[in-house]
Amino acid sequence: MLVLLPPSEGKAAGGEGAPLDTGALSLPGLTAAREEVLGELVELCAADETKAQEVLGLSEGLKGEIAKNAGLRSAPTRPAGEIYTGVLYDALGLASLDAAARKRAEGSLLVFSGLWGAVGVSDRIPSYRCSMGVKLPGLGALGAYWRAPMAEVLPAAAGDGLVLDLRSAAYATAWKPKGELAGRTATVRVLQSKIVAGVEKRTVVSHFNKATKGRLVRDLLSSGRAPDGPAELVEALRELGHAVEAQAPAKGGKAWAVDVIVTEV
């Protein structure tokens, strides 16, 4: 099972680890692309603070992120699973998993990133600011930039098992499973169910979405479940206590659509 996660806007400080070694990150086929994006970002932030603020879409209160980006090559690092914070990662709770579940997390979770493409949760990275929606002056939109490198490495990383896609729309632009692999992919949407005047209403809510996705992954890791495909995923999630509705694609080459229904966080 390969689980695709979005990153978080907020990030913890880089810790006290050794500086970045892009060659030591997971998915080594992305190393050259990572170096290119890293070089462009560092150069931008070191050369022109005003332009960097505009390109990165930073408020006045976040201008300190520019200097942090400029120093990425010498900044301290820590595991990506500790760098990324926020609702999804709080619910996932990597630090509190038992040893077996943590090992499963290290082998199956990939966090997508505008700067790194995708990293494993044990990969050591510095804290940074660069979303997938950024358009770097020398490279253009990062979502488009990453498509070719990702298409080269991710099918092999997925192997012949399930791909559980929990990414937000911006990060999904960087890679879309195709062909037979798409048929083994499940995209998840979280819907909040409310009864209004005796009628059920379902809506997509951001906080419910992030927290529930974190819990889904935690439950799968803690239980040791590794579904072979989308149908087995639906069965596993139901057995783990989640209300799930699923729709198989009408034709080949499309991902399964899985809805998780919640009433409260």
Side-chain angles (χ1 to χ4, degrees), residues 133-182:
V134 164
K135 296 181 180 179
L136 289 176
L139 299 179
L142 291 177
Y145 171 84
W146 281 113
R147 285 176 198 153
M150 292 289 199
E152 289 289 327
V153 304
L154 285 183
D160 58 2
L162 168 72
V163 176
L164 176 54
D165 190 352
L166 304 179
R167 297 172 296 168
S168 54
Y171 289 88
T173 62
W175 181 60
K176 182 178 180 181
K178 296 181 179 180
E180 184 270 338
L181 180 54

Side-chain angles (χ1 to χ4, degrees), residues 109-127:
L109 305 189
L110 282 181
V111 183
F112 272 59
S113 162
L115 177 53
W116 316 117
V119 291
V121 293
S122 61
D123 287 344
R124 301 194 68 92
I125 58 173
S127 184

Side-chain angles (χ1 to χ4, degrees), residues 1-13:
M1 178 175 67
L2 185 67
V3 182
L4 311 180
L5 298 174
S8 58
E9 284 296 319
K11 297 175 183 69

Side-chain angles (χ1 to χ4, degrees), residues 62-83:
L62 291 173
K63 285 179 68 174
E65 300 293 303
I66 298 170
K68 184 165 70 175
N69 280 350
L72 283 174
R73 290 196 181 276
S74 59
T77 60
R78 66 196 299 181
E82 299 176 13
I83 288 286

